Amino acid sequence: MSEKTSIHENINVMQEQVQADGMASIADRYRGQEKFRCSFCTRGLSCQLCSNGPCRVVPGKQERGACGIDANGMVMRNLVHKTNLGLAAYTHHCREAARTLKATAAGKAPFAIRDEAKLDRLAGELGVVGTDVRTRAAGVADAVLASLAQGGEEESVMVAKFAPESRKKVWRELGIFPGGPAFELVEAGARSMTNVDSNYLSLAKLALRLGIASTYGALVPLELIQDVLFGTPSPHEGDVDLGIIDPDYVNIVPNGHEPFMGAALIDAARRPEVQEKARAAGAKGLRIVGSIETGQELLQRFPCDDVFVGLTGNWISQEYALATGGVDLFAMDMNCSLPNLKEYADRYQVTLISVSRLVNISGVELHIDYEPEKAAEQALELVDLAVENFKRRQGRPVARGLAKKRILTGFSTEAVLGVLGGGLEPLLDVIRRGDIRGVAALVSCTSLKNGPHDALNVQVARELIKRDILVLSAGCGNAACQVAGLAAPEARELAGKGLRAVCAGLGIPPVLSFGTCTDTGRLVLLVTAVADALGVDPSRLPVAVTAPEYMEQKATIDAFAAVAFGLYTHVSPTPPVTGAPDVVKLLTTDVEHLVGGKLALGDEAVAIADDIAAHIERKRAGLGL
């Protein structure tokens, strides 16, 4: 194959393997779609909402759809539809986290309260009282569930408790201070129907409002709850890349975005009788292998050993993981399981199963849908299915000799402050001195639209650290940096002089593994803490956000959240907005005067990093640094 699929060698090796096996991969399908892509859709100038369509706006010829909507309204409404879906996914995840906490508090789930201090912080913020841990945990769970459905006539409790006062003032003045995310989702769904809200300015304010509801109403509470249940991430070594799959073991791969079943599987796999069951089937043992964001959640919190062995990679790697022939059970929770995986499961002898009632793939009848109260029993059912699959796949070809990498992971807000001296002041000192010019949050998906798999994510990260900009990475872009070696301490040699010295002194990499896309909420809390320490609004900080390979609906709402928070937010590839110049101007220029943040576009790594560095230098100058 002349064109590389990925910057990661294991992916390229497996791409050749799947082609030799007569299988089509995501890379093959992407290339096959190139000649069929619609230029109207690329620019956002198409609509299929009603039976008068599909409609296209043709500038200079057909300026409105059949209903009368213009290019600005059509483009912005399309973006709102994406934000609706992103908010729905995050709200669902938050609800599952709260349900799991409540079941744990009742002693009905196989989990424990591992961070009682964080539980007490949440309880204090939400006004929950109780004489014992379980009572407080149940009260927090109920408070979070109630907050999801808060009406729009009252301000969201979560936003009121966790957002900076300076931001809340801006949002109140603009009328974008949200209620609970479930309420906001219903309202936004109704407003973005045909012939309801077609004003692009109104729709843009709605998207910002949804972003705030998502970050504070869903992401902040869900990550805090997961910390309570599974422990707040702290720095530790871990292994990544496809080489963690050893076909001599029974391998169970939890895949998706929610860590609950994955954590239950790790707990089950540590039981001696489970390991003995695997050995009795002829395996060396049984292992849990993390994939995409579920794997990232587990990698952040659990040590890698002979039971939990690490992370394969981001969502584009999942077909290639199955093609190794070493996966026995692929357990799909909510989000990012490819619709064609049954073909791979059949070809490579993998048991494919949904562990979420939301996930349904053609040809897959097996469902063990996660319920907190049944999680221990469900995990053992999955173990039995995996062991039986191991027996059936014996004698089939398997991939061996694939590489794996050792990285440093687990950098929560508390961990970042801990390695820098236990508080904010050491971080502020290195920024004031200029050893670290600023901080960039690389919160990205991965896409094939702007180059080989993970290429731009990694190139942008490398360019930023060269400019002494510390990178906090989350989402699929985090896996890109991990597999590329940027999350290993020795990557400090790629950084600029100041950042390199800081990393060498602390024994940390220049790209700090901050977790998953849901850790957007955690990143916001860190930025809030820095802003509060300096007594300034977050929009004045030498901080930026970059999504070099944004891909789907969660990324869309995350971008609006970052802009609403007051941050310079780079996205690539260019979203489908270019058919509406007024919308482009609003999002990349005018909105900065309203909320302090804006979108920036660009697909070339050096230019992206130069623009972020220039923004950071302007903010430093504004603070007198």
Side-chain angles (χ1 to χ4, degrees), residues 246-252 273-286 325-329 348-351 382-398:
D246 185 337
D248 294 333
Y249 286 78
V250 176
N251 290 303
I252 299 177
E273 63 269 27
V274 166
Q275 292 297 325
E276 181 54 38
K277 184 179 291 188
R279 287 191 288 269
K284 289 182 177 180
L286 183 143
V327 173
D328 290 295
L329 186 135
Y348 298 105
Q349 187 53 60
V350 181
T351 295
L382 296 173
V383 164
D384 287 342
L385 289 169
V387 170
E388 289 306 310
N389 188 88
F390 179 85
K391 297 175 184 177
R392 291 192 298 270
R393 74 168 168 86
Q394 294 313 290
R396 286 173 171 256
V398 294

Side-chain angles (χ1 to χ4, degrees), residues 126-149:
L126 298 175
V128 172
V129 296
T131 56
D132 60 88
V133 172
R134 286 191 170 187
T135 301
R136 294 195 298 279
V140 165
D142 285 337
V144 170
L145 289 169
S147 74
L148 294 176

Side-chain angles (χ1 to χ4, degrees), residues 126 155 173 179 196 290 332 340 348 396 419 465 487 510 518 521 528:
L126 298 175
E155 294 182 344
E173 290 173 352
V196 181
M332 304 175 291
N340 69 308
Y348 298 105
R396 286 173 171 256
V419 299
I465 64 176
T518 62
T528 298

Side-chain angles (χ1 to χ4, degrees), residues 310-360:
L311 174 74
T312 55
N314 53 34
W315 76 273
I316 284 179
S317 70
Q318 61 189 276
E319 289 174 321
Y320 304 111
L322 268 58
T324 65
V327 173
D328 290 295
L329 186 135
F330 195 79
M332 304 175 291
D333 68 58
M334 200 281 292
N335 218 58
C336 287
S337 292
L338 298 178
N340 69 308
L341 285 182
K342 183 63 164 59
E343 300 169 7
Y344 275 72
D346 290 345
R347 177 65 178 78
Y348 298 105
Q349 187 53 60
V350 181
T351 295
L352 201 61
I353 185 166
S354 172
V355 293
S356 167
R357 64 185 181 278
L358 272 64
V359 178
N360 293 278

Side-chain angles (χ1 to χ4, degrees), residues 211-426:
I212 301 163
S214 172
T215 294
Y216 288 102
L219 296 181
V220 166
L222 83 83
E223 278 299 338
L224 294 180
I225 286 174
Q226 289 176 176
D227 287 353
V228 168
L229 290 169
F230 307 123
T232 298
S234 60
H236 59 276
E237 291 185 328
D239 293 318
V240 296
D241 211 346
L242 294 177
I244 65 173
I245 301 172
D246 185 337
D248 294 333
Y249 286 78
V250 176
N251 290 303
I252 299 177
V253 178
N255 179 83
H257 281 236
E258 298 175 347
F260 314 115
M261 188 60 82
L265 281 164
I266 291 174
D267 185 61
R270 297 202 187 284
R271 295 167 62 169
E273 63 269 27
V274 166
Q275 292 297 325
E276 181 54 38
K277 184 179 291 188
R279 287 191 288 269
K284 289 182 177 180
L286 183 143
R287 288 176 164 178
I288 309 303
V289 180
S291 177
I292 64 172
E293 303 303 80
T294 293
Q296 198 72 257
E297 289 277 11
L298 301 175
L299 185 68
Q300 285 287 97
R301 294 178 169 86
F302 292 91
C304 288
D305 53 22
D306 204 40
V307 172
F308 173 63
V309 293
L311 174 74
T312 55
N314 53 34
W315 76 273
I316 284 179
S317 70
Q318 61 189 276
E319 289 174 321
Y320 304 111
L322 268 58
T324 65
V327 173
D328 290 295
L329 186 135
F330 195 79
M332 304 175 291
D333 68 58
M334 200 281 292
N335 218 58
C336 287
S337 292
L338 298 178
N340 69 308
L341 285 182
K342 183 63 164 59
E343 300 169 7
Y344 275 72
D346 290 345
R347 177 65 178 78
Y348 298 105
Q349 187 53 60
V350 181
T351 295
L352 201 61
I353 185 166
S354 172
V355 293
S356 167
R357 64 185 181 278
L358 272 64
V359 178
N360 293 278
I361 288 179
S362 296
V364 178
E365 303 301 327
L366 281 173
H367 265 259
I368 299 179
D369 297 337
Y370 169 72
E371 288 294 338
E373 297 83 359
K374 300 177 182 178
E377 172 190 334
Q378 290 175 327
L380 293 176
E381 289 183 64
L382 296 173
V383 164
D384 287 342
L385 289 169
V387 170
E388 289 306 310
N389 188 88
F390 179 85
K391 297 175 184 177
R392 291 192 298 270
R393 74 168 168 86
Q394 294 313 290
R396 286 173 171 256
V398 294
R400 295 185 184 274
L402 296 174
K404 63 181 179 180
K405 296 179 181 65
R406 177 57 59 99
I407 55 104
L408 198 61
T409 187
F411 285 96
S412 59
T413 296
E414 293 85 348
V416 169
L417 298 181
V419 299
L420 289 167
L424 278 169
E425 199 56 36

Side-chain angles (χ1 to χ4, degrees), residues 548-573:
E549 298 184 32
Y550 102 91
M551 193 272 292
E552 53 109 80
Q553 299 86 21
K554 284 182 172 180
T556 306
I557 198 165
D558 289 345
F560 279 111
V563 171
F565 193 63
L567 301 181
Y568 176 105
T569 304
H570 162 259
V571 298
S572 176

Side-chain angles (χ1 to χ4, degrees), residues 102 186 321 376 434 475 591:
K102 189 165 185 177
V186 171
V591 71

Side-chain angles (χ1 to χ4, degrees), residues 80-81 83-85 87-89 91 148-152 178-193 196-197 206 209-210 213 557:
V80 169
H81 290 156
T83 64
N84 289 346
L85 296 176
L87 179 57
T91 302
L148 294 176
Q150 267 189 274
F183 168 83
E184 295 296 339
L185 182 60
V186 171
E187 184 119 326
R191 280 179 60 179
S192 56
M193 291 174 60
V196 181
D197 190 337
L206 174 60
R209 181 182 177 112
L210 294 175
I557 198 165

